[in-house]
Amino acid sequence: MARKILYSGGAQGADYYFGLYASSAGFQVVHYYGDKAKTPFGTHPLNQKYINQGVQQANKVCRALGKNAPSKEYILQMIGRNWWQVAYTQAVYCIAPLTKDFQHVSGGTGWAVEEAIKIRRVPFIFCLDNEKMKWFQYSYIDKIFQPIEFPSEKPDKFDAVTGIGTRDLNKNTPNFIQIMNELQKLFK
């Protein structure tokens, strides 16, 4: 039987903790990074060809996010790798704040989540809003993140999942212990 896979980006914060909990649950952890912008825990480099393909996908979601296409090389590397975190996943789990209208995930994590939404092949997109300390699930029908008690589908149900989120998650983060408890429940 093939090992289950967690895709992430290997950045400090949520990426690291998703990788830690997934690994302890027996998942193979694939932390993608652009070969010109290594992340602290990156394990799988992407060359410029793959980064360019990811940037093409990112450009498709600029309007939805209300952002311009990035132009700085480091940002292009990060945005380009985001696509590969969601391209072959069956479910996305993220830890990041939602926008005030609950339509998008904030920050860099929002790019990857929006790409997952855009391809409409990812049936489950869950977000733990670390500011509200509440779980949400994306509704393709209502085009909004709706509050839920806890994800209805845990990562072990899938062969490939994505675990991404804010870099601002560390032991000094408000609600850090509560967030770690939520991750532990996910991978139990």
Side-chain angles (χ1 to χ4, degrees), residues 6 13-25 27 93-95 128 133 135 150-151 154-155 162-166 169 175-188:
L6 173 103
D15 289 8
Y16 168 76
Y17 290 108
F18 271 113
L20 186 70
Y21 281 97
S23 178
S24 69
F27 282 69
Y93 301 85
C94 72
I95 300 172
L128 175 59
M133 279 313 301
W135 281 103
F150 191 77
K154 291 172 75 171
T162 300
I164 53 178
T166 179
L169 179 60
N175 303 316
F176 178 77
I177 299 298
Q178 189 177 353
I179 293 168
M180 293 302 105
N181 288 338
E182 292 296 306
L183 281 177
Q184 186 175 22
K185 284 193 305 189
L186 263 184
F187 288 98
K188 217 175 195 183

Side-chain angles (χ1 to χ4, degrees), residues 58-155:
N59 286 337
K60 294 176 183 178
V61 301
C62 288
R63 177 176 284 167
L65 293 172
K67 297 183 180 195
N68 294 321
S71 59
K72 293 182 180 174
E73 183 61 35
Y74 178 78
I75 302 298
L76 287 169
Q77 291 277 314
M78 298 307 235
I79 298 298
R81 66 114 205 240
N82 284 356
W83 164 247
W84 299 103
Q85 295 170 11
V86 300
Y88 301 105
T89 195
Q90 295 167 303
V92 173
Y93 301 85
C94 72
I95 300 172
L98 294 173
T99 58
K100 289 183 172 125
D101 61 7
F102 296 97
Q103 291 182 352
H104 308 286
V105 173
S106 297
T109 305
W111 288 87
V113 171
E114 199 63 34
E115 288 168 355
I117 291 168
K118 185 91 170 154
I119 61 174
R120 297 186 65 84
R121 287 188 309 226
V122 183
F124 299 101
I125 301 175
F126 301 106
C127 182
L128 175 59
D129 185 316
N130 59 306
E131 292 177 354
K132 295 175 183 57
M133 279 313 301
K134 184 149 188 60
W135 281 103
F136 293 83
Q137 181 174 356
Y138 187 76
S139 166
Y140 285 98
I141 294 168
D142 299 324
K143 295 181 171 47
I144 196 167
F145 282 88
Q146 298 177 332
I148 58 173
E149 286 299 314
F150 191 77
S152 58
E153 307 297 334
K154 291 172 75 171

Side-chain angles (χ1 to χ4, degrees), residues 2-11 13-33 38-45 84-85 155 159-164 183 187:
R3 278 178 82 183
K4 294 177 180 295
I5 298 173
L6 173 103
Y7 297 114
S8 193
D15 289 8
Y16 168 76
Y17 290 108
F18 271 113
L20 186 70
Y21 281 97
S23 178
S24 69
F27 282 69
Q28 174 188 353
V29 175
V30 175
H31 285 305
Y32 286 122
Y33 67 94
K38 179 145 179 15
T39 53
F41 305 101
T43 59
H44 288 70
W84 299 103
Q85 295 170 11
D159 293 326
V161 298
T162 300
I164 53 178
L183 281 177
F187 288 98

